[in-house]
Amino acid sequence: MRNYLFLIAVLFVASYNVNGQTTTPAPLKVTGKIADIATGKPVEYASVVLLKQADSAMVTGAYTNPAGNFSLNNIAPGIYVLRITFMGYEKLEKAVRVTDGKNTFAGTLRLQPAGKVLNAVEIKAEKPAFSMQIDRQVFDAGNMINAEGGTGTDILKNIPSVDVDIDDNITLRGKSVTIYVDGKPSPFGDAKTALQMIPAESIDRVEVINNPSAKFEANGSGGIINIVLKKDKAIGYNVMINAGGATRGEGSGSLNASLRLKRFNFFGNYNGRYEQVNGSGYSYRQNLVADSSHTSFFSQSSRNENTNSNNGGRFGFDYFLDDHNTFTISQGINRNNNQNEDNILLNYLDDKKATLRYGDRNNISRSNNGNNNTNLNYKHTFDKPNQELTAYVSYSGNSSNSSSNYYTQYHITGIDTLPNADKQYNTSRNKNSFWNLQSDYTSPIGAKGKLEAGVKSTMRHIDNNYIASLYDWSIPDYKVSPVLSNQYNYEEDIFAGYFNFANAIGNLGYQVGVRAEQSHLKGYSVTRDTTVNNRFFNLFPSVFLKYNLPKNQNQSLVFNYSTRIDRPNFDQLLPYVNNSDPQNIRTGNPELQPALSHKFEVSYSEYYPKTNNYMSISSYYAQTNDNIDRISTLDTISGITTTRPMNLATQQNIGGNVSYSLNLSKWWKVWANLNVEYNKLTSVTINNENFSYGLNGNTQFRLPGRVSVELSGHFRSPRIQPQGTFKAMNGMDFGVRKEFLKTRALVVALNISDILNTQQFNSHYQTATFIQDYDRKRATRFIRLNVRYRFGKMDPNLFKKKKPQDEDDKKEEDKKEEEKPKEGTGRL
């Protein structure tokens, strides 16, 4: 901690040194006026925000005065976008160019009342469904009708190249990914839990960063997915209530509210969800080497029922100390309860496929966990435009308790049920604490340059105590198993610093940077007296080049290179033995080492301002050394497979991607994405390769009566794994949304998930000792109804004490009173 504070102090000093050594361009102004398009009257207190055109980063903002005028000061030359919003009106955006030595007048910008469409080409009433920035793809989540009433996981299912498996694990182009929320690591434990706790309606957009720059943490070879939440900081109040239910036994509700009072902006949300999901599975294995009981074939079928309930919320406030300093404090709380029951039928067959024996297994597990998260943010802006310093401290604490019962009864063909069934009782207690400290500094250099630097520390500590007891019929009582039980302590400390510099030469923009990370992974198993102690230092360079074609500034070429790392996580390093499935055991691997990736990508994009269409074409190459993946081995004596993570091979991916967003008319738009990829795994023992492709499509219709309809679908061809393939996946969703009231404040949405009921997880394994096919299915086809109501008022005088008389009128009356002749005076 002391070292981290020292690094922050150095960053403060460096920021002022850089500021003093650079030449500040002459400050410029952007002015204009906001009016109602129908009446021509000025719109008072409309929110005016100036954004960079390149990356939509906010530069500054202001509110209009009673005459509808606004003035934005200290603006550097460049191309920007003005965004104007006010309740009851459509959002308006206009591009403006600020030239050196000249103030810019944006003109009179006229707001259209909500529900009508502007004809002006330069004004956009809504965000495009997809856009491309120098280092990321941006997807608008607000118009994903099929995700209404769902969670962040449902939003990601609509994002191309993102795979969400049957257990809601997220991968990007088949690789591990890091989930951010508002530009920071997810605060509620693992990424899966964080996404399930975020209602889809509270998400503004999703940013997919395949090749993150040195500014971002390096973990996750697939890249980073940043979930950006909706915010409203205009003076007044804003409330959104959401409630929904689904036919598969699901109910949800949420409340989001914000209140802005002068220098304070209070915000809070609460959400709860209950779901009951049923599923089934089937596997069929051929043992190429028969085990000791002469089992040549083995089949297993299962049915499960999972009940999950969670609730939680987040509240806090922004404090605007002055024009340059903002503090944000927030607190989050989450509670989750889960119960799962599996019924498994085991069938052992000889070489003639006749049954040798079979078994019935019942697994019941329960768990509950609580999480709390505290955040403190500080932001300081300087007089120099686009220069700022931020600091961030976050603490998360998690505790969980779980228990499970396994009961297995075996039968032999032609013989009565065997006595002494296998019985096992397990308990687990887990405590997790996580500190995240970060500071970033940004400053413009000259007319087009930018410097970024920062430091970050993450410290995680986990205590896990798993006790497994087997029933001993000779006692008879449960007896602790030293083989299955495990008490484990784990600590992960990562210290990082980065430097980025960006500038432009003509139409060529570039950004170069490097990130340094020192990692220390420590683990100790009390039960087994084994230790993990890994230290490694890595440098992660990154290069970004963007070229705007001289004859058309809406066309650009982007090249980027970055390096990434996959560090083994706690679950992979933990020396556990999971025998919930007696024929397919899972274990950890304390000997895992990190895997390094090199990633290259070239993309071309073009924006068509007249139609608001967008096209992006890209090709990429990635190589991961010592790739971490799971591998299964068969014990030819017992007939049991054991799956464990290992540093297996070198993985290479070569691919191409095409995305197109097309507005066929004012009421019909289409969006599609095609990804084609060649994958190859190479090692001494493993060689596997294939071509794969994925297709995502979406079309939306805006019908009369404020009705919108959406149809979306996806298909992914088979993808390789070390010992076989993941089979093809596909699905199609349908949704319809109706807006009510003049302000469109009431929204009702109905969607049908997986219309054709084709969503399932299938895999094929083929090794020297066994061949196995594995299929899993859960309730993916269901109907969901969701109702959302939003209300509020944006008024700077809303919470001011009302005066008996308007101040201006009072002044006018006083003036008239003074002009009247006094008593006792007049002509003589």
Side-chain angles (χ1 to χ4, degrees), residues 647-650 681-688:
N647 294 105
L648 289 175
T650 297
L681 287 168
T682 307
S683 73
V684 176
T685 58
I686 294 174
N687 286 281
N688 202 358

Side-chain angles (χ1 to χ4, degrees), residues 281-325:
Y282 179 78
S283 67
Y284 184 80
R285 187 177 77 211
Q286 178 184 359
N287 295 341
L288 302 180
V289 179
D291 62 22
S292 58
S293 62
H294 306 291
T295 301
S296 295
F297 297 91
F298 169 75
S299 67
Q300 178 174 300
S301 59
S302 65
R303 292 191 174 275
N304 61 78
E305 180 178 296
N306 183 276
T307 302
N308 183 68
S309 63
N310 63 65
N311 68 93
R314 190 166 196 81
F315 58 91
F317 65 89
D318 303 302
Y319 174 56
F320 305 94
L321 179 64
D322 50 39
D323 292 339
H324 295 291
N325 297 282

Side-chain angles (χ1 to χ4, degrees), residues 123-236:
I123 297 172
K124 298 180 293 181
E126 60 182 38
K127 293 182 292 185
F130 162 77
S131 63
M132 186 79 181
Q133 298 177 8
I134 188 171
D135 65 341
R136 68 194 67 189
Q137 296 173 305
V138 181
F139 300 89
D140 176 29
N143 287 322
M144 293 184 181
I145 302 174
N146 292 332
E148 290 261 10
T151 66
T153 304
D154 296 294
I155 291 287
L156 292 188
K157 289 176 181 177
N158 292 276
I159 304 298
S161 300
V162 176
D163 287 326
V164 182
D165 69 13
I166 196 169
D167 297 313
D168 290 338
N169 297 306
I170 312 296
T171 56
L172 178 59
R173 291 178 179 170
K175 295 179 176 292
S176 64
V177 67
T178 300
I179 301 294
Y180 276 25
V181 178
D182 285 336
K184 299 177 180 64
S186 56
F188 286 118
D190 63 284
K192 182 168 68 173
T193 302
L195 289 170
Q196 291 172 347
M197 282 298 299
I198 302 176
E201 290 72 28
S202 65
I203 299 177
D204 179 62
R205 64 184 185 275
V206 176
E207 299 176 343
V208 177
I209 311 173
N210 291 295
N211 285 12
S213 71
K215 182 176 182 178
F216 298 92
E217 65 177 287
N219 194 49
S221 60
I224 291 173
I225 296 177
N226 183 33
I227 307 295
V228 182
L229 303 179
K230 295 177 181 177
K231 301 177 182 67
D232 200 330
K233 294 186 178 180
I235 290 182

